[in-house]
Amino acid sequence: MSTYTTPAESEFGRCPHFDAVDEKTLRRLFSKVAAVRSEDYDLFSFTHRPMDVYDGSDPRTERTVSEDKVYRQFTENREGNFVVVIEGVVGTGKSELCAYLSHRLEAEDDRPTLHIDKNDDLMTILSERIPEFYEEHFDEELPGASDFKNLKSDIEDNPQTVANNATSGAILNLKRLDYDVSTTADQENEIRDYVADKLVQLVERGEYDRKVQFVGDKEYEQNEDLQIFEDDVHSSEAASAFDAELWREVRDRYNTASLDNVLEHVGSRFEDTRPVLVFEDFSIAAMEAEKLRNYMERDKTSDNWDFIIAGTHDSTEILHTQTAGDRFKFYQTNTPNSNSVPFLTEQTAVDFVRPYLGYMKKHDGSVRYDSEGDSFELLPAPSGSICADCGFCDESFRDLYPFNKPFLRRIYTSLEEDQQSPRELVMVVFEVLRDFYEGFVHAPSSADILKPLRNTISVADSVYDEAEEYADLAKWYGIEDGESVVIDRKFVDAFGLPIENLPDEISIGDDHIRVQKTGGTIGPEKTRCPSCNALSSEFRTEQSGRVVCGSCGEEISPPDDPVVGKIKNAKEEVDSWLENPQKYPDTNMYIRRGIKDLLEHLTDGFRLYEGQPLLYKLSSQKDPFVYPDSTDSPEPDQIIIDREEFQRSDLRQLAEFGVRRVEKPRSANYEKLRSRIGTQLTGYAKRWRRRIFETQLDNENSLYKQHAQYDFSDFILASYATLVVLDDPTTPVTAERLNERFQDPEDLSLDLDLKSGLKEVVDKDDYPHFTTAMNNAAYVESLVGELFGVSASSLDVPHVRQRLSQRSPYQVLAMLGRQYIQNVEARVRFDTGHNVKDFANTMYDVRKALDDVVNRGYDAETVKYVTTTIEGTDMGRINEIYNNLTAYNGVDPDFREALAKVCQHSNEDVADAIDIAHLARELSSGDTFDQATAALASQKLSNLKLVRQFEEVPFAGKGGTTTDSIGAAFREVSQYYVE
């Protein structure tokens, strides 16, 4: 009977071997630096897989050589130095092969091996590694070792002093070599500081593939302080000479030998064997590398070192001489122009990782392998081992748990081609394992590190909606079987995933879980609607031939519809697209199109207020958003949308929507997607609108001069108040008046009685500004309702009153600035194409023209005439006098005709004129906006038909009479004509 405990009974619901492993072991096991594993011979031997490398002797071929063949070239009977150079890009197994060769040479052949790892620097090599190696084998101090230690100590403690001596000596040496060099005191100080920095690098743990030299060609050309040569010396020669003398001064002062001399002395002490020197990374000082190369390639039979040198092409370039090419053995770990290696392919990826995972189960004998030849067969678990007693795992994944073969193979194939290296594969596996081990995820298939990897296995949308972990499980553990993905039931149980209340697309069996790949097929002829999951029995065919779902109205595409294929591909790429959209251009295009179209739909065509005529005309080539990791910063009309804020299930629906919008626009269902992610997208729409206001209309550099404290709503209210006055200047602008005009169904228009008056008091070029402003009146009135309305037909009078008292319309418009108006994009516009920038410029001109109206437009004479002459007139009495005068033939016909015109008016007309006159007189002493209203009122008054016709009566007011009112004048005249 199995002793396997179910998830409910176990702390982690996973393999018992995990209880016996700690994170330190995991990190050592999966270290990306082979030297860490190689320190534990048992660990390295168990996890190392046989490697093949390319024979670098002829780069034109791709002939491979086994690691064993490379090893067999190291023979005790060789004379002279022997060198194997292993080249390759980072993470392709150079260190692994170094470790393999050094282990065999040291463990099997008992060869003295000096290992120089990646972190060693030149001073460490000379002062510690070689002296320690020498003392270990000869039980005595290496001659000159103390000199190296003194040099290292002085550099660590007093780098400036060492640099001062080296700099001064090097400059003097160059002069003795007949170089014409010259330095200023400041220049020499800069050089000393520069050399001190370089010296410090010599005693620091080096960076990967970093060559340390005092003066290189590029450094000499880019640093003017180093250019001390007066003659026409080529920069390469100058750099080389300067570098050589700096090194000479450092060595001579401390009596230190060069690396090649030290190695020659050490090697000469080994008489019965050949020592091995392993450079895990050939990043040492450039001058030493050259001398070392010359030592390694020289043809001297007494030399007896075997060298194993690893490095990138940059670090080993100095070894590629004609002589070295003939005498050294060069091998390449990676395929040319790629990070892939010959020993790691899709077919071998599982076996490559297998021993890393199996090592955790090795300690009790649970996992053993028959690794003869190319095979890597898992042997049965012996009796008494944990695996034998547990009995949970299938043999297919017993050593791979918590992975299986499909999972590991998919990790490799999902890596980009230039990342399919041993290091990348091992690191991804480790990151997944660590997330699972530390409890960050219930199942390894949900680890974050997997998200960027391209894996196109996809299941039904409802699974992403209701059981997302099953979608991940199918993606990485499952095996595709027709229209479904099959998963071993044991993984579901081990990871504690729920098995109840799952969508219909997931069926739970005793041994396997089956997850449908689409919303999809549930039997040979039974299909569900991909949108609402309704059965095919609810589908109907319309007269046009379209098949639609009777439940949701969605069009059902035939299986061979290319749109269906594109939707499938886009959904499959969503997980990987999340991490790097640029790698999946089609899916990226569809999702971006979907977001843009939905934002446009939610904003009713990028309107800045719901249902209002103000909008932003976004370029058709531009999206209203960018992603947080975009290389471009958001522009003023773009917001940041984080892809991670969407659920994957929503992104899949968004991808489908985008495909339909691009490929088959009429089939895209806005309402379906809006009901799904409408709240989230509405938030983005609000954010986008706010962004436009912040960067365009309410920005401190837009519309107003910088010290103004007004916003866009102030501009709209001030403009509306001005347009209302131009529409009718006979009523003072108050909150009540604006509300009254807002409720009036008549369109705003320039008062007819004002037109001729304005033409007389403003410049000819300024008059059109008034009519242009009125052309936008409907938009302004609509926005006033949006900003200050309490209903569709009424303004918030208290709010408007408060605004008017704090911000006079004239003051607001007076703070408009031409250059600041120009900062508003022309894309901010009204429905008909009139843009806000042009309207703001128009209101700027209207305000300036009103200054002329205030200064020249107040008709005091007409106001006085109406209040002193017309006021008190009884039109009934005038009509009576006129009727009596018609009986006399001697009445002046001009007088009678003029009087007849006056008689057309009523007492109400007279009263209206008098009210206008009083209003004008009262407002003429108010603030500038009141004065403008007064001037406009007086201009209207002077152009009233009633006033003009009264003025045409020969004896009336302006005609020369001295009477106070026209009523008195009529009484005086009537005594001659009335009985």
Side-chain angles (χ1 to χ4, degrees):
M1 182 176 178
S2 172
T3 60
Y4 167 70
T5 54
T6 66
E9 302 166 337
S10 162
E11 179 181 0
F12 301 108
R14 56 191 182 192
C15 172
H17 279 102
F18 274 79
D19 296 329
V21 68
D22 56 26
E23 186 173 0
K24 182 179 179 181
T25 301
L26 287 179
R27 288 190 175 278
R28 190 174 81 254
L29 176 63
F30 286 94
S31 174
K32 62 182 179 182
V33 180
V36 174
R37 286 175 30 256
S38 67
E39 292 173 357
D40 184 334
Y41 184 74
D42 177 71
L43 169 60
F44 183 82
S45 299
F46 190 86
T47 56
H48 176 72
R49 289 301 319 277
M51 298 172 58
D52 289 335
V53 290
Y54 293 100
D55 185 348
S57 60
D58 185 357
R60 294 171 298 178
T61 68
E62 292 190 4
R63 186 169 64 89
T64 60
V65 177
S66 70
E67 61 181 22
D68 183 65
K69 187 172 183 179
V70 176
Y71 158 72
R72 293 187 184 284
Q73 294 185 74
F74 293 89
T75 171
E76 291 272 14
N77 300 321
R78 190 184 298 276
E79 290 186 343
N81 292 328
F82 174 65
V83 182
V84 166
V85 181
I86 306 165
E87 299 174 315
V89 297
V90 176
T92 54
K94 300 186 302 297
S95 297
E96 185 82 8
L97 184 53
C98 282
Y100 165 79
L101 294 173
S102 61
H103 271 310
R104 292 203 65 178
L105 290 168
E106 191 170 12
E108 297 182 18
D109 299 343
D110 197 25
R111 299 276 292 275
T113 303
L114 172 56
H115 193 280
I116 307 299
D117 66 34
K118 293 179 180 180
N119 289 326
D120 283 335
D121 53 75
L122 179 61
M123 287 296 102
T124 299
I125 295 171
L126 292 170
S127 65
E128 297 179 22
R129 296 289 176 264
I130 296 178
E132 290 169 357
F133 175 75
Y134 185 87
E135 188 170 355
E136 175 187 352
H137 289 280
F138 302 110
D139 196 25
E140 63 182 58
E141 183 178 279
L142 174 68
S146 59
D147 297 327
F148 287 116
K149 291 179 180 178
N150 290 336
L151 173 58
K152 182 178 182 183
S153 176
D154 284 353
I155 292 175
E156 289 176 336
D157 298 336
N158 301 291
Q160 194 67 50
T161 302
V162 180
N164 292 346
N165 295 332
T167 302
S168 300
I171 293 173
L172 291 175
N173 288 345
L174 290 170
K175 290 180 178 179
R176 294 191 188 100
L177 293 172
D178 293 330
Y179 284 108
D180 188 3
V181 297
S182 175
T183 59
T184 65
D186 289 341
Q187 186 179 16
E188 200 161 327
N189 287 333
E190 291 294 331
I191 295 173
R192 288 188 175 106
D193 291 341
Y194 169 85
V195 172
D197 289 340
K198 288 290 186 178
L199 286 168
V200 170
Q201 291 182 35
L202 287 175
V203 294
E204 288 181 341
R205 295 298 178 180
E207 297 175 4
Y208 190 72
D209 282 349
R210 184 188 67 192
K211 292 181 179 179
V212 179
Q213 61 186 124
F214 284 118
V215 183
D217 292 353
K218 289 184 179 180
E219 292 168 313
Y220 182 82
E221 292 171 357
Q222 295 172 0
N223 191 333
E224 292 183 359
D225 292 320
L226 297 177
Q227 297 168 11
I228 63 176
F229 293 79
E230 296 289 340
D231 295 338
D232 187 16
V233 180
H234 191 275
S235 61
S236 179
E237 179 187 350
S240 178
F242 202 175
D243 186 67
E245 293 312 314
L246 287 167
W247 276 110
R248 187 192 312 279
E249 279 299 308
V250 171
R251 286 204 188 95
D252 288 352
R253 181 166 292 277
Y254 288 88
N255 194 29
T256 56
S258 61
L259 179 60
D260 58 314
N261 291 332
V262 174
L263 290 176
E264 183 178 8
H265 173 75
V266 173
S268 67
R269 293 295 306 273
F270 289 96
E271 298 177 354
D272 300 327
T273 187
R274 293 173 60 85
V276 179
L277 179 56
V278 182
F279 279 102
E280 190 180 330
D281 171 33
F282 200 58
S283 295
I284 59 175
M287 184 59 70
E288 291 298 290
E290 184 175 345
K291 288 187 176 184
L292 180 59
R293 181 203 64 206
N294 293 337
Y295 169 67
M296 290 188 299
E297 71 180 14
R298 73 185 189 180
D299 189 9
K300 192 172 181 179
T301 57
S302 61
D303 293 336
N304 63 341
W305 279 97
D306 282 338
F307 292 93
I308 302 172
I309 295 176
T312 63
H313 285 290
D314 288 340
S315 66
T316 59
E317 182 180 3
I318 198 169
L319 304 180
H320 285 272
T321 63
Q322 175 113 27
T323 302
D326 293 337
R327 297 179 180 174
F328 296 178
K329 293 294 184 181
F330 288 89
Y331 298 101
Q332 175 81 29
T333 54
N334 58 287
T335 305
N337 302 315
S338 169
N339 278 16
S340 61
V341 295
F343 58 89
L344 180 58
T345 64
E346 182 178 353
Q347 289 71 36
T348 63
V350 175
D351 282 346
F352 178 81
V353 178
R354 184 186 296 274
Y356 287 82
L357 298 167
Y359 184 76
M360 291 182 290
K361 308 163 183 113
K362 168 184 178 293
H363 65 88
D364 69 325
S366 287
V367 169
R368 300 170 301 149
Y369 296 108
D370 178 3
S371 56
E372 288 295 327
D374 294 332
S375 67
F376 213 83
E377 182 181 351
L378 176 65
L379 297 175
S383 176
S385 67
I386 292 176
C387 280
D389 293 340
C390 171
F392 164 67
C393 296
D394 289 336
E395 283 300 297
S396 64
F397 64 81
R398 178 165 60 84
D399 59 336
L400 303 179
Y401 184 88
F403 302 93
N404 64 359
K405 289 181 181 179
F407 198 140
L408 296 172
R409 190 175 296 114
R410 283 167 193 161
I411 289 178
Y412 176 80
T413 58
S414 296
L415 292 168
E416 292 294 321
E417 186 175 348
D418 62 355
Q419 294 181 316
Q420 290 177 332
S421 68
R423 177 176 297 181
E424 289 294 332
L425 176 59
V426 167
M427 284 300 95
V428 172
V429 171
F430 170 63
E431 291 295 334
V432 174
L433 189 64
R434 185 178 64 176
D435 281 359
F436 175 63
Y437 174 77
E438 295 183 350
F440 293 134
V441 292
H442 291 119
S445 49
S446 296
D448 287 343
I449 190 67
L450 297 173
K451 292 180 181 178
L453 305 185
R454 183 184 179 89
N455 178 344
T456 59
I457 294 177
S458 176
V459 294
D461 290 336
S462 58
V463 178
Y464 284 90
D465 275 341
E466 303 172 39
E468 193 171 39
E469 284 184 312
Y470 274 91
D472 293 329
L473 206 69
K475 190 181 190 74
W476 293 101
Y477 288 94
I479 298 173
E480 294 181 282
D481 181 19
E483 291 300 314
S484 61
V485 180
V486 179
I487 310 162
D488 193 316
R489 165 73 184 263
K490 289 188 176 182
F491 289 109
V492 174
D493 293 338
F495 304 145
L497 300 187
I499 58 174
E500 296 180 352
N501 300 318
L502 298 174
D504 293 342
E505 283 71 21
I506 300 176
S507 58
I508 306 291
D510 292 337
D511 298 321
H512 297 94
I513 309 297
R514 188 173 291 270
V515 184
Q516 297 301 318
K517 294 169 68 175
T518 65
T521 304
I522 59 173
E525 299 181 0
K526 293 184 178 180
T527 304
R528 292 183 181 272
C529 170
S531 297
C532 69
N533 216 32
L535 288 169
S536 58
S537 57
E538 297 189 45
F539 297 173
R540 68 171 186 273
T541 303
E542 298 180 338
Q543 289 185 346
S544 62
R546 294 171 67 241
V547 178
V548 298
C549 173
S551 178
C552 69
E554 187 82 4
E555 180 177 0
I556 307 299
S557 301
D560 58 350
D561 188 338
V563 173
V564 173
K566 291 181 178 180
I567 291 172
K568 177 177 179 293
N569 291 339
K571 286 184 174 182
E572 288 173 347
E573 290 184 346
V574 160
D575 288 355
S576 302
W577 168 89
L578 259 170
E579 297 300 312
N580 190 347
Q582 303 309 317
K583 285 171 59 176
Y584 308 95
D586 288 344
T587 297
N588 190 39
M589 173 191 66
Y590 292 134
I591 292 179
R592 292 187 74 97
R593 175 63 181 273
I595 296 175
K596 179 180 180 180
D597 284 4
L598 283 165
L599 285 177
E600 184 174 12
H601 177 70
L602 289 168
T603 57
D604 190 20
F606 297 115
R607 293 176 184 272
L608 301 185
Y609 294 107
E610 200 71 35
Q612 295 300 320
L614 184 65
L615 56 88
Y616 187 91
K617 189 68 175 178
L618 190 72
S619 168
S620 61
Q621 304 302 315
K622 187 177 184 180
D623 293 328
F625 64 92
V626 296
Y627 298 133
D629 52 356
S630 171
T631 55
D632 299 322
S633 299
E635 295 185 20
D637 53 2
Q638 292 179 310
I639 59 172
I640 296 176
I641 289 183
D642 190 347
R643 304 183 298 279
E644 297 292 342
E645 292 178 359
F646 289 92
Q647 292 184 357
R648 280 192 295 168
S649 55
D650 293 339
L651 285 171
R652 290 167 60 85
Q653 294 299 315
L654 196 54
E656 176 177 347
F657 176 82
V659 171
R660 293 187 181 279
R661 285 294 300 141
V662 173
E663 309 294 343
K664 198 174 183 181
R666 292 183 60 186
S667 69
N669 190 328
Y670 280 92
E671 291 309 315
K672 170 193 169 187
L673 201 55
R674 183 172 181 174
S675 65
R676 184 184 183 95
I677 55 176
T679 301
Q680 187 174 9
L681 285 172
T682 299
Y684 292 141
K686 290 178 179 178
R687 192 188 306 172
W688 179 82
R689 283 170 167 164
R690 187 166 60 249
R691 172 79 171 169
I692 298 300
F693 276 102
E694 290 173 351
T695 61
Q696 298 291 322
L697 301 176
D698 285 336
N699 188 280
E700 62 179 6
N701 293 317
S702 296
L703 291 178
Y704 303 107
K705 299 167 189 175
Q706 285 192 332
H707 60 277
Q709 299 296 316
Y710 305 134
D711 58 20
F712 180 66
S713 62
D714 291 319
F715 169 68
I716 291 298
L717 185 60
S719 298
Y720 185 62
T722 303
L723 296 178
V724 168
V725 168
L726 292 172
D727 174 75
D728 180 9
T730 65
T731 305
V733 172
T734 62
E736 289 75 14
R737 168 59 186 149
L738 294 182
N739 185 47
E740 177 187 352
R741 189 59 187 87
F742 181 77
Q743 294 173 334
D744 191 330
E746 291 293 324
D747 292 336
L748 288 164
S749 61
L750 186 61
D751 188 280
L752 294 176
D753 293 324
L754 278 182
K755 290 184 177 181
S756 58
L758 287 174
K759 289 178 181 178
E760 292 177 6
V761 298
V762 301
D763 292 340
K764 179 181 179 181
D765 293 338
D766 288 338
Y767 175 76
H769 299 318
F770 294 102
T771 57
T772 301
M774 281 298 179
N775 289 338
N776 292 287
Y779 307 129
V780 175
E781 187 167 60
S782 181
L783 287 174
V784 166
E786 173 68 27
L787 294 167
F788 299 98
V790 292
S791 68
S793 60
S794 180
L795 299 180
D796 184 347
V797 173
H799 184 199
V800 174
R801 184 184 301 117
Q802 181 185 29
R803 280 295 186 97
L804 292 177
S805 67
Q806 295 173 346
R807 298 168 173 84
S808 163
Y810 184 89
Q811 290 175 340
V812 173
L813 297 183
M815 290 306 297
L816 292 174
R818 283 279 197 219
Q819 68 183 89
Y820 299 101
I821 292 173
Q822 292 306 113
N823 292 333
V824 179
E825 287 279 352
R827 293 183 178 277
V828 184
R829 57 182 60 191
F830 299 117
D831 268 348
T832 58
H834 296 186
N835 62 60
V836 170
K837 178 192 293 186
D838 289 344
F839 177 65
N841 274 318
T842 296
M843 293 309 299
Y844 177 92
D845 292 327
V846 165
R847 195 272 310 162
K848 286 190 67 178
L850 286 177
D851 286 344
D852 291 337
V853 172
V854 171
N855 294 331
R856 305 199 303 261
Y858 182 68
D859 191 348
E861 187 177 354
T862 298
V863 171
K864 182 178 180 181
Y865 173 72
V866 173
T867 58
T868 61
T869 303
I870 297 180
E871 188 172 8
T873 300
D874 182 352
M875 292 307 299
R877 179 57 181 159
I878 291 178
N879 273 282
E880 182 182 342
I881 292 172
Y882 172 73
N883 290 331
N884 290 334
L885 290 177
T886 56
Y888 297 91
N889 294 328
V891 177
D892 184 347
D894 292 337
F895 175 80
R896 185 164 54 192
E897 182 180 352
L899 192 58
K901 293 178 181 179
V902 169
C903 290
Q904 296 174 3
H905 298 284
S906 65
N907 281 333
E908 287 78 9
D909 295 335
V910 172
D912 289 342
I914 293 169
D915 288 343
I916 295 173
H918 283 294
L919 173 69
R921 186 171 62 189
E922 291 169 7
L923 295 180
S924 63
S925 60
D927 63 20
T928 310
F929 192 71
D930 284 346
Q931 292 177 39
T933 305
L936 292 171
S938 71
Q939 286 297 320
K940 177 177 177 64
L941 192 65
S942 65
N943 287 282
L944 280 180
K945 191 174 182 181
L946 178 142
V947 174
R948 291 201 308 272
Q949 290 175 345
F950 263 100
E951 289 176 337
E952 289 172 0
V953 177
F955 57 77
K958 289 185 179 181
T961 180
T962 59
T963 55
D964 292 333
S965 70
I966 197 167
F970 273 111
R971 287 194 296 274
E972 181 180 337
V973 166
S974 66
Q975 65 180 310
Y976 301 105
Y977 301 100
V978 180
E979 296 178 351

